[in-house]
């Protein structure tokens, strides 16, 4: 599982095409890579290509449940999507179900 690359990539290599986020948001994006199915190193590289520290991005969806914070769109595996569907059918909110299913897999 990799964070969705919301925003452009740093094609020019100078970071000008990266999405600007606060230090706290950036730290959260990096920290949530420990749960990525594609591996933490690949996920962190994706974060570094996609984001740079600057001003807070008020459009970036950040949330925390059960002591776990995440930002951005979570790319969920088939099993995680099934977990989300089952959890929401049992009354859990979609946003919370995404975080819990993402971090439990």
């Amino acid at each position: 599982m990799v964070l969705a690359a919301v925003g452009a990539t740093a094609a020019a290599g100078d970071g000008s095409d990266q999405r600007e986020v606060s230090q706290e948001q950036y730290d959260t994006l990096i920290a949530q890579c420990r749960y990525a199915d594609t591996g933490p190193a690949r996920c962190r590289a994706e974060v570094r290509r996609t984001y740079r520290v600057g001003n807070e991005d008020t459009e970036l969806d950040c949330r925390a449940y059960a002591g776990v914070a995440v930002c951005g769109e979570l790319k969920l595996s088939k099993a995680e999507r099934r977990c989300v569907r089952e959890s929401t059918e049992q009354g859990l909110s979609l946003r919370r179900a995404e975080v819990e299913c993402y971090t439990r897999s």
Side-chain angles (χ1 to χ4, degrees), residues 23-44:
Q23 182 68 57
E24 182 179 5
Q25 289 171 319
Y26 188 85
D27 293 344
T28 297
L29 288 159
I30 290 291
Q32 75 193 38
C33 286
R34 70 177 155 253
Y35 305 109
D37 284 347
T38 58
R42 185 173 177 188
C43 177
R44 287 190 298 269

Side-chain angles (χ1 to χ4, degrees), residues 65-78:
Y65 296 101
V68 177
V70 298
C71 285
E73 181 181 333
L74 301 176
K75 192 166 190 177
L76 303 174
S77 69
K78 186 176 181 178

Side-chain angles (χ1 to χ4, degrees), residues 35-99:
Y35 305 109
D37 284 347
T38 58
R42 185 173 177 188
C43 177
R44 287 190 298 269
E46 173 93 10
V47 170
R48 289 184 193 105
R49 278 191 307 276
T50 307
Y51 300 94
R52 66 184 166 88
V53 175
N55 293 317
E56 179 181 3
D57 183 342
T58 58
E59 304 274 319
L60 186 64
D61 181 19
C62 295
R63 60 236 188 248
Y65 296 101
V68 177
V70 298
C71 285
E73 181 181 333
L74 301 176
K75 192 166 190 177
L76 303 174
S77 69
K78 186 176 181 178
E80 291 164 338
R81 288 190 304 273
R82 182 174 44 250
C83 172
V84 169
R85 187 174 52 253
E86 291 169 358
S87 296
T88 56
E89 286 171 357
Q90 294 175 8
L92 203 59
S93 74
L94 176 62
R95 289 166 46 90
R96 183 172 188 144
E98 286 178 334
V99 173

Side-chain angles (χ1 to χ4, degrees), residues 6-28:
V6 181
T9 61
D14 64 0
S16 62
D17 292 338
Q18 293 172 305
R19 186 170 177 175
E20 190 173 288
V21 296
S22 70
Q23 182 68 57
E24 182 179 5
Q25 289 171 319
Y26 188 85
D27 293 344
T28 297

